[in-house]
Amino acid sequence: MSSNPTDAPNGPHVSRREFDALFETVRTWGRWAPEGRGAWNRVTADHVGRAAALVRSGTVVPMARPWDTTPGPDNGNPALHYMSDLGDVVAPEPSAHKDFIGADYHGKAVSHLDALSHIAYRGRFYGGGTARELVGAAGTRFGDVAALGSLVTRGVLLDLPAASGTTWLEPGQAVHAADILAAETALGVETGEGDAVLLRTGRFRRRREVGAWDLDAASAGLHVEAMPLLAERGIALLGSDGDSDVRPSPVEGLHSPVHTLAIAAMGVPLLDNLDLEALSAACAEAGRYAFLLLVAPLNVPGGTGSPVNPIAVL
Amino acid sequence: MSSNPTDAPNGPHVSRREFDALFETVRTWGRWAPEGRGAWNRVTADHVGRAAALVRSGTVVPMARPWDTTPGPDNGNPALHYMSDLGDVVAPEPSAHKDFIGADYHGKAVSHLDALSHIAYRGRFYGGGTARELVGAAGTRFGDVAALGSLVTRGVLLDLPAASGTTWLEPGQAVHAADILAAETALGVETGEGDAVLLRTGRFRRRREVGAWDLDAASAGLHVEAMPLLAERGIALLGSDGDSDVRPSPVEGLHSPVHTLAIAAMGVPLLDNLDLEALSAACAEAGRYAFLLLVAPLNVPGGTGSPVNPIAVL
Amino acid sequence: MSSNPTDAPNGPHVSRREFDALFETVRTWGRWAPEGRGAWNRVTADHVGRAAALVRSGTVVPMARPWDTTPGPDNGNPALHYMSDLGDVVAPEPSAHKDFIGADYHGKAVSHLDALSHIAYRGRFYGGGTARELVGAAGTRFGDVAALGSLVTRGVLLDLPAASGTTWLEPGQAVHAADILAAETALGVETGEGDAVLLRTGRFRRRREVGAWDLDAASAGLHVEAMPLLAERGIALLGSDGDSDVRPSPVEGLHSPVHTLAIAAMGVPLLDNLDLEALSAACAEAGRYAFLLLVAPLNVPGGTGSPVNPIAVL
Amino acid sequence: MSSNPTDAPNGPHVSRREFDALFETVRTWGRWAPEGRGAWNRVTADHVGRAAALVRSGTVVPMARPWDTTPGPDNGNPALHYMSDLGDVVAPEPSAHKDFIGADYHGKAVSHLDALSHIAYRGRFYGGGTARELVGAAGTRFGDVAALGSLVTRGVLLDLPAASGTTWLEPGQAVHAADILAAETALGVETGEGDAVLLRTGRFRRRREVGAWDLDAASAGLHVEAMPLLAERGIALLGSDGDSDVRPSPVEGLHSPVHTLAIAAMGVPLLDNLDLEALSAACAEAGRYAFLLLVAPLNVPGGTGSPVNPIAVL
């Protein structure tokens, strides 16, 4: 990175040229078929079987935040929830109670999956297709969430506050490759080919205790410097209780550099805004940080992602 | 049921009095805590472990139909899908592509889960609470989908056409207890405590080959006479490629009697409108009809259910 | 038009070459500023004053159909209406009752205004701008409904069934220039510069008496042959109880040729799906078919139109 | 009011007992048929004619704020606007561009009309019906916006800052009967039977110059003490650039006392969040504050109001 590293907690600063070199380093275009499934192609039937074999206690831990209809500094596009039948529309017996839900789910509030069509860099999606040609009113023709199907694999929780003996990472704090390695050692787990890596920064514990803040202004998350390590490990999925990117961005002129590397270069979908508090407690109690992980997005043709409720089974 | 069974394919006819007696027979109110989780309380950590141990080939089969935005006789409330960012709103690099999804998901088109608040009978929810007092604009205070959390258990596919050597059940054809027993024998599987039972009627094969029809007018599904058998078995979840109810309803003055018994009497959530075609093929190929099943609804406080993408792992 | 006129009620057939010549004949690009307001620029303050002076009886007639949430052959995108507060969310006194409305309002059901951005021909909007460059996720940068503001002018009802002594025009029946002239004579009214012309075909009377039908398959409406007459008259707005186009389209390879000429060539916004039954009765009773007309679309920046409730004051 | 008036700008404080007496003073239940149209029944055909006769210059001034999709302290439920067709869905010629709009329009951002069903006091709507019995998932059976139809009447702008030589009223500043009388005198206008009264506080000028603030915490608006004057005058409609209520509320335990008196006691619908800046300038230039006013809400059966774009014609 920069030869003049600053002391900024989100640093070091990365030039656009350095970033582009990184992009080339981790790029895996052309490796998979179907390409729109990206790194989920790493998860073979063998991986699935080994992941299922991780189940010990039978403890099931969902990770979706409550559907958030309350606007706030960390929820600019509140989700919609309306009752469409209070038991008085379809009549008379039995009474049927129904509701409408809706969400512009990308953003900082809804637990969701980013498909490969969510991000394009220099106009190109993962694999090289031109975003402008592939996206229209009916959605995207490359990298939609329907192309991902669902994921069953080994999940690894990198519980950064637990590993470092803190309560949470402060907003704006960057996580580097060395932090990942240290967390793996502290937690007794190592990330491997086809794994889903979940990074806990403690965001929702902090929110509960301190209140909401503007996550675009300051979020704990990965520095791009850590991405070659994750690329080497061959991960299939990256998730976080934030959106994986440290903010403000340390990269010149780029607002979501980790999104860019993961999705557009490596073909790795992201899970954003997971509530990892219960999983943190469950892993601590079980004394293990690897488990069966299941991600079952809605089957939206043309969709750039989906609200999800990922499940860990310990 | 009626002492004068008719030859109607959805019969025999059931009087309201007979239905109410059935309701009492299968009723399990007051048995569980929390009551809003109903029969999902049957699934203990042991069940989860045994279900995970069913994984052999590592084949993963999702069951959600594509998000259906096309109106039709079988889709009265088309789902919404709009691009909220074509890569031209959040600027400039990387480009971010976003979409809005919305649905009044109960009905005949969206693959979804019915929580215990979806149905009340004679004004009362499962457990006896008064629906009118418990449901408001903010949703329901009993039996919301958030109370269910998620489900990991043994799934059993009762592939009725496969068991009977037909391509699909005709719309309006009732499935009786004897049909369930025959299917179990033919398929070499038996439903037990805490299982999720999925009934395939072949609806979506028929739809592909014949076209859409009005499912309220005629659907293959269970006759209420079959419910005591399922109650005895102690199932946790009931699903179907339809909505589990044979239609027209054979019960006097009641439009969804199987919904009523399952949800309001037995505390058994329902999965409606699953695409079971791929699962049928996978089970036939594997020669087994029991598997690890995962259901991960969205975490909507006050919601009466959720769109879902259930996953089988064989 | 075609030298071989058929007897089809929507005829005569028009080749694409003939259509393109018509387009040039009626084209008014470059005449107005701001161009996005198109023919509404014809309505000067003088027109407004003269229109207000038409008020005699003080009878006020709104023309919006009820917000239509019921799917059907003539409503493929049902409008949304949900209660967001039943008086139980904002507490305690007074109780506030609130609702959410939503609509993909273009189509056959919602009474709405088409702004100049609704239609482009050969890739170009009215005035010549390139649609692909001007439209994005945030809407259109040319010809949005906000650019129209609102319209107060003289309205003229061409009540075609009343003029011809029938109850309604049959679906698929084309209206030609001669029919317009005959209607003007029969009704004692003449369309002039800056007027809003409303064509009644009797659609909603027929719907009430006969039921719904597929309007894309067959609608009464204008044949393109009538458009030079309306262009000559200098109309500012064209409305109908259908969508002004006879369907099926008599023009080779073009699904909405009247939309194309009105909006993209003449800069004339359209009003679709007006309920003109009450206005028909009011004009018949008053014995006059000209009145003060008011159109007040929602102020949606980037929007291609708006649901509206036009008002006639007689 | 209170015998111990405070110096608070929103004062004097009003006890609940005093408020209830006021409610009785201005109550007009049982006077109109249909009752759901409330004070709009005051506007006879004669009023309409006299209002139309006010037109002089032909200047048309719309009052709707731009559809506000941006969340903020003054927009807790951002409106929705999505392109449903970029010209690439309906193919091929002409291209059709379409959008979806949606809004939970009550609140502080969308220019809208409150129908009589928006507010109930002590459980009762205007006329005495029980809100809990009249409101359901399908909307309200009393006082819906469809019952109002549309309004054409004389509008009067009470431009309070202009009348008092200030730029805007400060948030939290109450407007009293004396202020209304003084404004009438200063502006040379008097409110009468069947009029629509529009109060300008200068909110949107302040917002443009100072930025957004929390309007529930502090808004300029009417003190309840002013309502008997407006009741005496027999107004049909009350509107404002805020929501007519001074906030915080000066009435014990009541969050919207002016809403309560206007809607539930007097049957007077409200217009909230109008942009009155252009109208203020137009009236000042014309030297008159009375004009033809048109309000054309969407025709939503069961709806508690509607987004609107009221128009003044001077």
Side-chain angles (χ1 to χ4, degrees), chain C residues 45 57 64 66-67 83-84 93-97 99-105 117-118 120 122 136 255 260 294 296-297 299 303-304 309, chain D residues 45 57 64 66-67 83-84 93-97 99-105 117-118 120 122 136 255 260 294 296-297 299 303-304 309:
Chain C
S57 64
W67 197 247
M83 295 301 295
S84 57
E93 283 282 12
S95 60
H97 308 85
D99 45 1
F100 171 92
I101 58 167
D104 194 350
Y105 55 88
S117 53
H118 176 49
R122 300 198 182 278
H255 60 81
T260 308
L294 317 145
N299 181 4
T304 66
N309 191 356
Chain D
S57 64
W67 196 247
M83 294 303 294
S84 57
E93 282 283 11
S95 60
H97 309 84
D99 45 1
F100 170 92
I101 58 166
D104 194 351
Y105 55 88
S117 53
H118 176 48
R122 300 200 182 276
H255 60 81
T260 307
L294 318 145
N299 181 5
T304 66
N309 190 356

Side-chain angles (χ1 to χ4, degrees), chain C residues 66-149:
Chain C
W67 197 247
D68 196 344
T69 60
T70 307
D74 54 353
N75 192 9
N77 293 309
L80 308 179
H81 179 226
Y82 301 119
M83 295 301 295
S84 57
D85 192 340
L86 296 159
D88 55 355
V89 176
V90 176
E93 283 282 12
S95 60
H97 308 85
K98 303 180 184 175
D99 45 1
F100 171 92
I101 58 167
D104 194 350
Y105 55 88
H106 289 293
K108 308 297 184 182
V110 177
S111 302
H112 69 271
L113 177 72
D114 292 342
L116 298 190
S117 53
H118 176 49
I119 294 289
Y121 183 57
R122 300 198 182 278
R124 299 195 176 277
F125 282 135
Y126 179 75
T130 301
R132 195 191 153 108
E133 285 167 9
L134 290 163
V135 179
T140 178
R141 293 196 308 280
F142 171 80
D144 66 354
V145 70
L148 287 177

Side-chain angles (χ1 to χ4, degrees), chain D:
Chain D
M1 304 297 107
S2 168
S3 50
N4 270 24
T6 73
D7 292 339
N10 71 328
H13 178 77
V14 177
S15 74
R16 195 62 170 279
R17 184 176 200 150
E18 290 167 317
F19 177 83
D20 285 348
L22 253 181
F23 191 98
E24 286 308 306
T25 305
V26 300
R27 191 161 64 84
T28 60
W29 295 7
R31 187 175 309 180
W32 318 108
E35 192 143 41
R37 198 161 197 256
W40 284 19
N41 286 296
R42 294 184 191 269
V43 182
T44 64
D46 273 2
H47 279 91
V48 173
R50 283 198 299 271
L54 291 172
V55 173
R56 296 276 181 285
S57 64
T59 306
V60 177
V61 187
M63 304 176 208
R65 296 193 60 226
W67 196 247
D68 196 343
T69 61
T70 307
D74 54 355
N75 192 11
N77 294 308
L80 308 180
H81 179 226
Y82 301 119
M83 294 303 294
S84 57
D85 192 340
L86 295 159
D88 54 356
V89 176
V90 176
E93 282 283 11
S95 60
H97 309 84
K98 303 179 184 175
D99 45 1
F100 170 92
I101 58 166
D104 194 351
Y105 55 88
H106 289 293
K108 309 296 185 183
V110 178
S111 302
H112 70 270
L113 178 72
D114 292 342
L116 298 191
S117 53
H118 176 48
I119 294 289
Y121 183 57
R122 300 200 182 276
R124 300 194 175 276
F125 282 136
Y126 180 73
T130 302
R132 196 192 152 107
E133 287 167 8
L134 289 164
V135 179
T140 178
R141 293 197 307 278
F142 170 79
D144 66 353
V145 71
L148 287 176
S150 59
L151 186 72
V152 178
T153 194
R154 180 179 181 250
V156 168
L157 178 69
L158 295 184
D159 190 334
L160 299 163
S164 61
T166 57
T167 316
W168 55 67
L169 303 195
E170 284 301 326
Q173 178 68 46
V175 175
H176 296 91
D179 301 315
I180 291 176
L181 295 170
E184 287 186 339
T185 303
L187 303 171
V189 70
E190 186 167 324
T191 303
E193 171 83 11
D195 283 0
V197 176
L198 307 180
L199 279 98
R200 177 173 174 265
T201 68
R203 168 189 172 190
F204 289 108
R205 170 124 186 235
R206 187 175 191 276
R207 188 184 194 273
R208 204 167 51 234
E209 299 192 11
V210 178
W213 69 97
D214 178 350
L215 290 126
D216 269 324
S219 296
L222 291 174
H223 191 278
V224 288
E225 177 267 346
M227 297 305 284
L229 173 65
L230 296 176
E232 238 167 68
R233 297 288 180 86
I235 65 169
L237 176 67
L238 177 61
S240 172
D241 49 6
D243 71 358
S244 291
D245 257 296
V246 66
R247 299 183 188 278
S249 166
V251 179
E252 175 195 358
L254 211 60
H255 60 81
S256 298
V258 167
H259 275 66
T260 307
L261 294 180
I263 294 175
M266 298 161 60
V268 170
L270 297 182
L271 288 170
D272 295 345
N273 309 317
L274 302 180
D275 187 334
L276 299 174
E277 298 308 296
L279 183 59
S280 169
C283 287
E285 193 187 320
R288 341 178 252 127
Y289 287 83
F291 39 79
L292 171 63
L293 179 82
L294 318 145
V295 184
L298 301 178
N299 181 5
V300 184
T304 66
S306 170
V308 284
N309 190 356
I311 309 175
V313 190
L314 275 79

